[in-house]
Amino acid sequence: KTDTKLIVEGPGYSKDFTIVEGVIKDTFIIQRSGLYSFIYQRNRLQAFLEPGQAIKFEGDAKDLQTSAEFEPPHQKVWDYYKAKKDITSKYLSQRRLFGLEPNEFLASLEAGSKLVDSLLAVGDLPSELVSLEKERIQIDEKKNTYIYPLATDKKIDDLSEQFQDPLAGVDLTDEEKFIENPSYAELVSTHFNIEMNQDTSAGYEDVFLKRVSALPEGNIRNSILYGTMQYLLTPNERLDEFFTFFIEHSTNVKDIEKMKEQYDLFQSLTNGNLSPQFEYENYNGGTSALSDYRGKYVYIDVWATWCGPCIGEIPSLKEKEAKYHDSNVEFVSISIDESKAYDTWRNMVKDKELGGSQLMADNAWQSKFVQDYQIKGIPRFILVDPEGMIVSADAPRPSSDKLDETFDELGL
């Protein structure tokens, strides 16, 4: 589709290319050979590239994952990754593995790893790719074994020796391997997040700042910092603090540029600015716009029926609606479900007896209100005053005592 993007990602490399009249033809400069992904919408094609090579592939954009064909020698690599994906789905996906009992888990892990290893033996693949993939098999085994007790709530002491210390002897500080090996990068990031979530010395944000600042300067810190901070950086009272922290601790020029753009966009979403507008279908009929609630505070919940944390907030949201029913505040929930989930949305509103104003956005994540507020994760709560001005573009959740404090301060 015209003006859509093709994203190319690889070791230390990421670039967006614009598709014009259904075609992209360009040259891009890579510094090292390795595994590169060509990403179009939800499709990810993988190839092993070396500097100086030419690569060409074609396919139907509606089903690129299945229809893509590469010119030699890259087709053999793509055939390997398609076959590996099937094996992963049957034996190695975390959704499957973490639903198994310990012995079944180990057996599935071993069977899947052997099948992938067999693919590498007969695939006529570049030797450098074979070495990378063999290392990935080992790392993925360790990573899944490490996560298994946490994902299944099983006690370490009740599990066999294989589960006791799967990361023993693994160096989690290798800056080059972090760039070259996607499985290693995921393991390092996963380990950091698990350790951080187990740290109860302070709130999530402050624990993150403390732990990421303790990492040595380099690729690992840059990646973990950017990966989390793009979600922490929201138009709330800590916006300036988080942005300053990021600038002081990141050495990645591209990441700094992207974060600066995000920060600049958020400046118009701070307290006292005019709120972006919406007008969406109302569950009870017709449409409702933000301007319809002029004269009242408006507490907006941006959610979706598929979002677990969103569903988790519903009981607290209903309690707050009942508590402040006679106050000058309107509770408005905006679903960003896809249009194909329209009936699911209506059924959930009915079955869970959701109160307030229940609206459905017109274009899911791409809805203008969602884009204007730079919403990248849900649930997201927004508070607007009776004049249509922003009180908080990232308001406290219904389950937080801070919401009551905020309402009390406003005299609600």
Side-chain angles (χ1 to χ4, degrees), residues 224-282:
I224 292 175
L225 178 62
Y226 180 73
T228 299
M229 193 60 79
Q230 62 179 319
Y231 295 99
L232 287 187
L233 194 73
T234 56
N236 59 27
E237 67 277 1
R238 302 190 73 175
L239 174 63
D240 291 336
E241 175 195 353
F242 287 161
F243 178 68
T244 300
F245 180 92
F246 182 87
I247 296 299
E248 291 176 348
H249 289 82
S250 177
T251 59
N252 187 302
V253 175
K254 289 185 177 179
D255 287 350
I256 291 174
E257 290 175 355
K258 291 178 182 177
M259 200 61 74
K260 178 67 164 58
E261 291 177 4
Q262 187 169 327
Y263 174 77
D264 289 342
L265 286 171
F266 285 157
Q267 293 301 302
S268 63
L269 297 174
T270 52
N271 178 275
N273 285 290
L274 183 66
S275 172
Q277 303 296 299
F278 65 74
E279 183 173 358
Y280 296 136
E281 177 183 344
N282 191 310

Side-chain angles (χ1 to χ4, degrees), residues 24-56:
I24 177 171
K25 183 177 181 181
D26 210 330
T27 300
F28 56 98
I29 308 300
I30 61 175
Q31 300 299 324
R32 62 181 89 191
S33 59
L35 179 62
Y36 286 77
S37 295
F38 294 79
I39 305 165
Y40 177 73
Q41 296 181 338
R42 296 184 179 182
N43 299 281
R44 180 183 290 266
L45 311 182
Q46 293 181 291
F48 187 82
L49 302 185
E50 300 176 65
Q53 281 188 321
I55 182 169
K56 181 179 180 181

Side-chain angles (χ1 to χ4, degrees), residues 132-401:
L132 172 68
E133 285 296 304
K134 285 182 176 293
E135 185 178 47
R136 291 187 70 180
I137 292 172
Q138 296 174 356
I139 291 173
D140 287 339
E141 284 184 351
K142 292 179 181 294
K143 179 192 68 182
N144 287 323
T145 307
Y146 168 60
I147 298 173
Y148 180 81
L150 299 171
T152 58
D153 291 328
K154 295 186 182 297
K155 295 181 179 179
I156 290 284
D157 294 341
D158 296 335
L159 298 173
S160 61
E161 181 181 351
Q162 293 97 317
F163 294 96
Q164 297 306 312
D165 193 5
L167 300 188
V170 177
D171 179 8
L172 297 173
T173 63
D174 191 324
E175 295 284 341
E176 281 300 305
K177 189 180 292 186
F178 188 87
I179 292 296
E180 295 171 352
N181 191 316
S183 292
Y184 179 79
E186 185 176 352
L187 172 62
V188 172
S189 299
T190 297
H191 179 265
F192 176 88
N193 288 327
I194 288 175
E195 293 284 300
M196 183 182 68
N197 287 327
Q198 292 175 341
D199 186 340
T200 58
S201 61
Y204 175 87
E205 293 89 347
D206 293 311
V207 167
F208 172 76
L209 297 183
K210 176 184 70 174
R211 286 184 167 270
V212 78
S213 62
L215 295 175
E217 181 180 293
N219 298 325
I220 294 175
R221 185 170 78 177
N222 285 342
S223 177
I224 292 175
L225 178 62
Y226 180 73
T228 299
M229 193 60 79
Q230 62 179 319
Y231 295 99
L232 287 187
L233 194 73
T234 56
N236 59 27
E237 67 277 1
R238 302 190 73 175
L239 174 63
D240 291 336
E241 175 195 353
F242 287 161
F243 178 68
T244 300
F245 180 92
F246 182 87
I247 296 299
E248 291 176 348
H249 289 82
S250 177
T251 59
N252 187 302
V253 175
K254 289 185 177 179
D255 287 350
I256 291 174
E257 290 175 355
K258 291 178 182 177
M259 200 61 74
K260 178 67 164 58
E261 291 177 4
Q262 187 169 327
Y263 174 77
D264 289 342
L265 286 171
F266 285 157
Q267 293 301 302
S268 63
L269 297 174
T270 52
N271 178 275
N273 285 290
L274 183 66
S275 172
Q277 303 296 299
F278 65 74
E279 183 173 358
Y280 296 136
E281 177 183 344
N282 191 310
Y283 173 83
N284 290 324
T287 62
S288 293
L290 180 59
S291 58
D292 294 338
Y293 307 105
R294 189 62 60 90
K296 287 188 173 185
Y297 285 93
V298 187
Y299 183 65
I300 303 167
D301 169 19
V302 181
W303 72 296
T305 59
W306 49 260
C307 168
C310 301
I311 305 303
E313 289 291 331
I314 286 178
S316 298
L317 180 60
K318 293 173 74 171
E319 288 177 8
K320 291 295 188 291
E321 289 172 350
K323 181 177 180 179
Y324 294 95
H325 180 73
D326 296 325
S327 300
N328 190 38
V329 58
E330 182 76 20
F331 289 83
V332 177
S333 295
I334 300 176
S335 164
I336 59 169
D337 280 287
E338 299 280 351
S339 57
K340 62 184 178 182
Y342 179 80
D343 290 339
T344 303
W345 166 66
R346 292 195 64 86
N347 290 335
M348 184 171 288
V349 171
K350 179 181 178 180
D351 294 343
K352 291 189 175 293
E353 299 179 339
L354 303 184
S357 296
Q358 295 293 327
L359 314 182
M360 187 170 190
D362 57 2
N363 195 20
W365 287 101
Q366 302 307 313
S367 301
K368 189 174 186 303
F369 184 77
V370 176
Q371 294 289 304
D372 287 345
Y373 264 105
Q374 294 292 301
I375 297 174
K376 296 182 178 180
I378 53 174
R380 174 75 168 271
F381 297 91
I382 298 164
L383 185 59
V384 178
D385 76 9
E387 302 302 318
M389 311 302 283
I390 297 171
V391 176
S392 176
D394 188 19
R397 295 186 175 195
S399 57
S400 171
D401 292 337

Side-chain angles (χ1 to χ4, degrees), residues 87-103:
I87 294 171
T88 299
S89 176
K90 294 177 182 178
Y91 295 94
L92 300 174
S93 71
Q94 291 185 340
R95 176 178 293 182
R96 168 180 165 74
L97 288 172
F98 297 156
L100 300 175
E101 290 301 311
N103 290 339

Side-chain angles (χ1 to χ4, degrees), residues 6-19:
L6 176 73
I7 303 170
V8 180
E9 292 181 351
Y13 182 89
S14 180
K15 186 174 180 180
D16 295 359
F17 296 90
T18 300
I19 299 169

